[in-house]
Amino acid sequence: MNAIETLLYEITRLFLNPVLILLCLMFIYALFTLGMLLHDLLRRAWGRPAGLALQAHLQQHPGLNQDKLELLVLRKIELQRLVSRIAPMLGLVATMIPMGPALVAVSAGNAEGMARHLVVAFAAVIVALVAASITYGVQTVRRRWLLEELAQILEDRDASARI
């Protein structure tokens, strides 16, 4: 390899561990959000308010207009949206980085080395896709709940303004 190829290879190797750590953190976050969603689902089933707290936030800041309330809805689901979109990209990165050493191992006839690198590659993409799937599902449900709550707040405001 020439110097530029070697430099690029070394740079990509530096990314593997941070990307794997981020994927693990995203997976833990996805499980946490799924647990919170199930908790809120049970609360809703029992007739109690879920932990979305738009109404509580509105009571603390009564002067919020519709635009600021919509911004609040977006903020509440922003991290879930980011994880659902970024996790697959990081999964691809974590898949591609070990592929280089795996191909080198194949060319050297080292099946064990190839298998070791491919296990990391495939495990990373699976964790990333599961994390993205969970957070996308949670984000979709939470978004609907938040928009329903927002619509109810705006409807109540309109009704009280007409009186």
Side-chain angles (χ1 to χ4, degrees):
M1 284 197 259
N2 67 32
I4 294 174
E5 291 170 344
T6 303
L7 177 65
L8 285 176
Y9 175 72
E10 292 302 322
I11 289 172
T12 59
R13 281 185 25 161
L14 291 175
F15 285 119
L16 184 58
N17 285 333
V19 166
L20 292 176
I21 290 168
L22 279 173
L23 286 175
C24 289
L25 291 173
M26 287 180 177
F27 183 72
I28 290 167
Y29 174 74
L31 293 178
F32 175 75
T33 61
L34 181 61
M36 292 300 295
L37 179 78
L38 294 175
H39 177 262
D40 287 345
L41 186 63
L42 288 174
R43 289 182 61 92
R44 290 171 69 95
W46 293 332
R48 296 185 181 143
L52 303 176
L54 270 185
Q55 193 70 24
H57 191 80
L58 186 61
Q59 288 172 352
Q60 292 174 352
H61 307 347
L64 291 179
N65 61 16
Q66 182 176 348
D67 290 338
K68 294 201 182 208
L69 286 170
E70 288 173 1
L71 187 59
L72 181 62
V73 166
L74 290 175
R75 276 191 199 126
K76 287 192 173 282
I77 59 173
E78 186 171 30
L79 188 55
Q80 295 157 12
R81 184 173 180 266
L82 283 171
V83 170
S84 71
R85 290 175 184 239
I86 292 173
M89 289 183 253
L90 291 179
L92 180 61
V93 168
T95 300
M96 298 308 293
I97 293 171
M99 293 299 268
L103 291 173
V104 170
V106 166
S107 68
N110 182 358
E112 183 182 329
M114 178 203 62
R116 187 170 21 101
H117 291 291
L118 289 180
V119 166
V120 171
F122 289 117
V125 78
I126 289 167
V127 166
L129 291 174
V130 169
S133 299
I134 291 170
T135 53
Y136 179 75
V138 169
Q139 174 211 346
T140 302
V141 173
R142 284 209 181 274
R143 181 176 179 267
R144 182 176 47 82
W145 287 353
L146 286 163
L147 290 176
E148 287 171 354
E149 189 176 344
L150 177 61
Q152 185 62 47
I153 289 169
L154 296 174
E155 191 176 295
D156 292 347
R157 275 189 178 176
D158 287 346
S160 66
R162 280 186 255 142
I163 295 177

